[in-house]
């Protein structure tokens, strides 16, 4: 009788734990540019692959493309959503818009539509902050950075701090072009982003 009661208690506790364990597994779509596309190295050296090994409970879809703009990401997103049906969409786009001096209003409109499309598909959205050099002056740079904060507040989504903030100032972690992180930087980026994806 005592063994039977203990077994019932064990099964009851197991049932309580199962939904929590299942909730920790998600299909994560990374939609980014060269910073997330393992530019200049093999794919398995990139931070997305490293994070997929660190957090294997998630299914990782890396739809990032070098040179991608917010407009290009917006054009590709509907088909990607239909094909993969992700639980989480991590948007890391806008850097190429800024480097080319694209209009701030257009950047915001493109990101906003990507957020809306992702939410309409039922996905949780995580927006990566993006920062650019001050080549176009403080006014443009400030407006550019503010776009991400404004969208995060407007849509109540997670704003992830720019993962290149500490990487870009260290020449030992950058490729010779001074723009892209090198292989040594990838584990550091993965470690920086890990807590954000552990909590989904």
């Amino acid at each position: 009788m005592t063994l039977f009661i203990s077994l019932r208690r064990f099964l009851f506790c197991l049932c309580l734990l199962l939904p929590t364990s299942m909730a920790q597994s998600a299909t994560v779509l990374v939609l980014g540019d060269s910073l997330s596309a393992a530019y200049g190295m093999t794919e398995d050296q990139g931070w997305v692959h490293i994070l997929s090994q660190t957090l294997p409970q998630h299914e990782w879809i890396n739809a990032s493309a070098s040179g991608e703009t917010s407009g290009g990401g917006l054009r590709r997103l509907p088909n990607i959503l239909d094909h993969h049906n992700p639980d989480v969409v991590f948007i890391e786009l806008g850097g190429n818009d800024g480097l080319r001096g694209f209009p701030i209003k257009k950047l915001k409109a493109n990101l906003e539509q990507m957020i809306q499309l992702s939410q309409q598909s039922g996905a949780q959205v995580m927006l990566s902050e993006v920062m650019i050099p001050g080549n176009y002056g403080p006014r443009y740079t400030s407006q550019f950075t503010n776009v991400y904060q404004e969208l995060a507040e407007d849509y109540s989504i997670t704003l992830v701090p720019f993962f290149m903030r500490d990487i870009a100032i260290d020449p030992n972690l950058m490729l010779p072009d001074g723009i892209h992180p090198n292989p040594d930087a990838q584990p550091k980026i993965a470690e920086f982003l890990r807590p954000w994806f552990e909590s989904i």
Side-chain angles (χ1 to χ4, degrees), residues 27 81 85-89 115 117-125:
T27 298
L81 292 174
N85 191 30
D87 301 301
V88 177
V89 177
I115 293 169
L117 286 170
S118 300
Q119 289 183 332
Q120 289 167 9
S121 75
Q124 171 189 342
V125 179

Side-chain angles (χ1 to χ4, degrees), residues 148-194:
Y148 297 87
Q149 182 67 47
E150 292 168 0
L151 288 173
E153 293 176 356
D154 290 345
Y155 287 90
S156 299
I157 59 177
T158 299
L159 180 64
V160 179
F162 189 36
F163 58 74
M164 287 293 293
R165 187 187 296 264
D166 294 329
I167 300 293
I169 60 177
D170 187 345
N172 295 320
L173 298 176
M174 299 295 288
L175 291 175
D177 62 14
I179 298 175
H180 299 95
N182 64 23
D184 290 337
Q186 303 302 313
K188 296 180 181 298
I189 295 173
E191 188 62 26
F192 176 84
L193 292 173
R194 178 177 176 174

Side-chain angles (χ1 to χ4, degrees), residues 6-138:
S6 298
L7 181 60
R8 286 186 61 185
R9 287 177 178 172
F10 171 76
L11 292 174
F12 177 73
C13 292
L14 183 62
C15 288
L16 289 177
L17 290 173
L18 281 175
T20 302
S21 300
M22 292 173 63
Q24 294 176 345
S25 176
T27 298
V28 180
L29 168 66
V30 179
L31 184 66
D33 51 31
S34 55
L35 298 181
S36 299
Y39 175 85
M41 65 197 78
T42 60
E43 186 176 349
D44 62 359
Q45 291 178 294
W47 70 260
V48 178
H49 178 79
I50 294 172
L51 209 51
S52 74
Q53 303 303 298
T54 306
L55 300 174
Q57 69 269 33
H58 300 320
E59 178 186 359
W60 295 81
I61 310 297
N62 191 358
S64 303
S66 294
E68 188 68 286
T69 61
S70 62
L74 175 59
R75 285 190 293 273
R76 293 193 297 123
L77 183 56
N79 286 336
I80 297 172
L81 292 174
D82 288 343
H83 185 70
H84 294 289
N85 191 30
D87 301 301
V88 177
V89 177
F90 178 67
I91 302 173
E92 179 271 303
L93 286 172
N96 288 309
D97 298 57
L99 292 175
R100 299 174 190 180
F102 287 179
I104 296 296
K105 287 184 178 180
K106 188 61 176 176
L107 166 67
K108 185 173 184 178
N110 289 339
L111 291 173
E112 188 168 30
Q113 290 182 66
M114 282 187 275
I115 293 169
Q116 292 173 347
L117 286 170
S118 300
Q119 289 183 332
Q120 289 167 9
S121 75
Q124 171 189 342
V125 179
M126 299 172 65
L127 180 64
S128 175
E129 180 186 40
V130 176
M131 303 178 75
I132 57 171
N135 299 12
Y136 292 94

